[in-house]
Amino acid sequence: MGFARTCSVALVGVEGVVVEVQADLEPGVAAFALVGLPDKSLTESRDRVRAAVVNSGAEWPQKKLTVGLSPASVPKGGSGFDLAVAAAVLGAAERIDPRAIADLVLIGELGLDGRVRPVRGILPAVLAAADAGYRQVVVPEQTAGEASLVPGVSVLGVRSLRQLIAVLTDEPVPDEEPTEEGRPDAMLAGLLVPGAGIGTGLAADPVEGPDLADVAGQHHARRALEIAAAGSHHLLLSGPPGAGKTMLAERLPGILPPLTRQESLEVTAVHSVAGILPPGEPLVRRAPYCAPHHSATMQSLVGGGNGLPRPGAVSLAHRGILFLDEAPEFSGKALDALRQPLESGRVVIARAAGVVRLPARFLLALAANPCPCGRHTLHGAGCECPPSLVRRYQARLSGPLLDRVDLRVEAEPVTRADLLGQGGRGETTAVVAERVREARARAAARLADTPWRVNSEIPGHELRTRYHAAPGALVEAERDIERGLLTARGLDRVLRVAWTAADLAGHDRPDHQDIALALEMRTGVARGVPVVTGGRA
């Protein structure tokens, strides 16, 4: 009779649970039972592990074999348990010392030839192991860089089961044939899931990506873009087709500051679980940009799928930008599903298989035409949409959703002078990005002793009691509340935008002009605020 145990990690969303893998050998008819609530892909590991062990030169035990995954109440799926199951079986068969694997966390899929294939979710799995007190992990060689991002953990990257056996038994480590240079590595197939990106992509470098100077005119919209980036405020760009709404939104990632170390780990964990982490780039350093098509379903936006839900667009855009072009064309259910993550910064999805909590703190950018034909606001353009149709079209963006949008800007048609460059080019992405970084630094210094990072995260109560505007600056805002132009949530968002405008202008606190700018971008009512290309009044 032989017994051995080791550990692996089960992922529930982007949260990991350490699972003890136990193997027990008893005299009897040769059989292999796998227990502990495994799914179909995990149940199939019995055949993969048996073939991998035999093809690695080890003897398969001809006894009654039972492998248990504990705790049994946690759903387990995927092929990432293969390496741990194989090690536990070899430990029970005394091919390796059971004590050598007792404190190891092993993650990886086994090929039939014994090669260790990479799997998704390595970073959150290693983070869970580190939080549980484990300090040694074994992962596929291709994902060792991703696992090494977790501090305080010793990472061993192996290419095959033969190599792992040699390391654990102090034998010479065999060399595995590397992939020929120039040929695709088939081992990386487990890291990328086709179709899982849902319109996402990592933001291009500001130097190489699209430049804000390419946008003709739109000084007011450019200023709103700068405020949105500096304070992470949600933005609605409305206007006729061809005004440059999509161009502006596509240049928004370029003026966002680079992610902090903690933010990078959060984004990398989500992208790793979703299977869209680029090979060779274990750490995501720039804010993601996700732009799903307007035919996207509610499940694709907030998360869904068979069994435990997978990350949706709101999670793939975590710490980045979720851009909904032609926003009124999205289904009403899909748009209203965004209301909860916009407030809380996370999405909680309940399914029969369990409850998954996924991060979803993103900057929402919406682009919308004024009517189905897009010519409603153009003089002499021949819009034939009846008023009732225009109202129904604009009502597709519900009041509760728009109440959570801080900035609502009208993108005016581009004039001939702006289009031909007679008014001069606007500021480049690099110039605006530097100003955004300075504003973020001011906000970070002010919020250093608080749990918030940017102005958009400050609760309304704190804004009204702790962070005061200049005396008399809120008179106009109070008047708008009495008129019904502002709700209580609207006032809080006006104050947040005003603080961001003050940070961009270098003010110690919002003055009358900062409040007026925030009100104008919230209500659409002109307040006499001068507009300049540089983003400062």
Side-chain angles (χ1 to χ4, degrees):
M1 174 176 164
F3 176 83
R5 66 181 181 86
T6 188
C7 294
S8 190
V9 178
L11 288 177
V12 182
V14 294
E15 299 175 354
V17 178
V18 176
V19 173
E20 188 176 69
V21 181
Q22 303 171 340
D24 178 69
L25 283 174
E26 296 181 355
V29 178
F32 187 175
L34 182 64
V35 298
L37 207 60
D39 71 351
K40 179 65 175 177
S41 61
L42 182 50
T43 303
E44 292 175 348
S45 70
R46 294 177 300 184
D47 300 320
R48 292 194 300 269
V49 169
R50 183 187 290 110
V53 169
V54 172
N55 290 326
S56 298
E59 183 179 353
W60 184 259
Q62 298 300 317
K63 296 181 180 181
K64 181 181 178 182
L65 171 63
T66 303
V67 174
L69 307 175
S70 178
S73 59
V74 176
K76 307 167 191 72
S79 55
F81 290 88
D82 290 1
L83 194 59
V85 171
V89 171
L90 292 172
E94 298 183 351
R95 173 64 178 86
I96 58 179
D97 187 354
R99 293 172 297 179
I101 60 174
D103 295 325
L104 281 182
V105 174
L106 300 103
I107 307 165
E109 176 185 338
L110 286 175
L112 299 184
D113 57 354
R115 290 187 298 172
V116 180
R117 304 178 67 92
V119 295
R120 293 175 284 113
I122 288 292
L123 177 59
V126 177
L127 284 170
D131 291 341
Y134 291 88
R135 292 294 174 260
Q136 292 181 307
V137 298
V138 180
V139 299
E141 186 181 63
Q142 293 88 341
T143 58
E146 183 181 344
S148 300
L149 297 173
V150 182
V153 175
S154 175
V155 178
L156 173 62
V158 294
R159 184 170 284 270
S160 68
L161 183 59
R162 285 184 292 271
Q163 288 185 342
L164 177 61
I165 295 174
V167 170
L168 295 176
T169 56
D170 293 328
E171 299 174 359
V173 179
D175 293 328
E176 300 292 341
E177 295 182 3
T179 302
E180 295 182 14
E181 187 175 355
R183 293 187 59 185
D185 190 353
M187 301 286 283
L188 298 176
L191 293 180
L192 298 176
V193 180
I198 317 178
T200 188
L202 300 182
D205 189 273
V207 178
E208 302 176 358
D211 200 315
L212 198 57
D214 298 335
V215 180
Q218 302 298 352
H219 303 305
H220 195 61
R222 288 167 60 99
R223 190 174 190 184
L225 210 69
E226 183 177 340
I227 292 175
S232 192
H233 302 288
H234 306 307
L235 170 68
L236 168 63
L237 295 170
S238 58
K245 303 185 296 295
T246 304
M247 285 186 65
L248 286 164
E250 289 175 346
R251 284 150 180 77
L252 184 54
I255 62 176
L256 289 176
L259 299 175
T260 65
R261 174 74 177 185
Q262 180 60 35
E263 292 171 344
S264 293
L265 291 176
E266 295 174 8
V267 174
T268 302
V270 176
H271 283 228
S272 178
V273 169
I276 58 174
L277 192 64
E281 298 182 17
L283 185 65
V284 178
R285 292 182 171 85
R286 295 209 58 81
Y289 175 77
C290 190
H293 190 259
H294 61 74
S295 61
T297 63
M298 180 178 68
Q299 288 75 17
S300 68
L301 285 181
V302 300
N306 296 328
L308 289 175
R310 295 172 55 81
V314 297
S315 297
L316 298 178
H318 179 61
R319 299 298 182 187
I321 297 165
L322 176 63
F323 174 50
L324 302 185
D325 201 2
E326 305 292 347
E329 301 295 339
F330 283 78
S331 72
K333 288 184 177 180
L335 291 174
D336 286 337
L338 301 176
R339 288 152 54 177
Q340 185 255 344
L342 284 176
E343 284 290 322
S344 62
R346 65 180 182 274
V347 59
V348 180
I349 310 170
R351 297 290 186 269
V355 178
V356 173
R357 295 171 180 83
L358 297 169
R361 190 168 293 283
F362 55 91
L363 191 164
L364 177 64
L366 304 169
N369 291 330
C371 68
C373 76
R375 300 190 296 269
H376 179 66
T377 57
L378 298 177
H379 298 290
C383 175
E384 298 179 354
C385 301
S388 58
L389 180 60
V390 174
R391 286 194 300 269
R392 285 197 302 269
Y393 187 80
Q394 295 177 353
R396 292 182 182 180
L397 299 179
S398 66
L401 175 64
L402 290 179
D403 203 31
R404 291 165 168 82
V405 177
D406 303 350
L407 307 170
R408 307 173 193 174
V409 181
E410 183 76 21
E412 299 292 341
V414 182
T415 64
R416 182 180 61 180
D418 289 330
L419 192 59
L420 298 179
Q422 297 175 3
R425 294 188 71 193
E427 289 181 316
T428 63
T429 293
V431 172
V432 178
E434 179 61 29
R435 197 156 56 238
V436 168
R437 279 193 289 269
E438 293 175 0
R440 288 249 183 153
R442 293 189 187 97
R446 184 172 61 254
L447 303 174
D449 298 328
T450 70
W452 316 299
R453 300 172 43 261
V454 291
N455 293 322
S456 62
E457 298 176 1
I458 306 176
H461 175 73
E462 297 289 334
L463 284 168
R464 295 187 297 271
T465 59
R466 184 174 177 181
Y467 301 100
H468 299 285
L474 290 175
V475 173
E476 200 167 353
E478 294 170 356
R479 190 179 299 119
D480 281 359
I481 292 178
E482 295 175 355
R483 295 174 183 169
L485 295 177
L486 273 184
T487 62
R489 181 189 285 122
L491 176 62
D492 293 341
R493 295 190 175 275
V494 164
L495 290 174
R496 293 174 183 138
V497 172
W499 271 105
T500 301
D503 290 333
L504 286 168
H507 300 159
D508 293 334
R509 54 179 174 171
D511 58 16
H512 175 78
Q513 196 171 43
D514 297 323
I515 296 293
L517 175 62
L519 285 171
E520 181 174 330
M521 292 192 171
R522 172 77 182 182
T523 63
V525 179
R527 311 283 172 156
V529 180
V531 177
V532 294
T533 306
R536 301 173 189 265

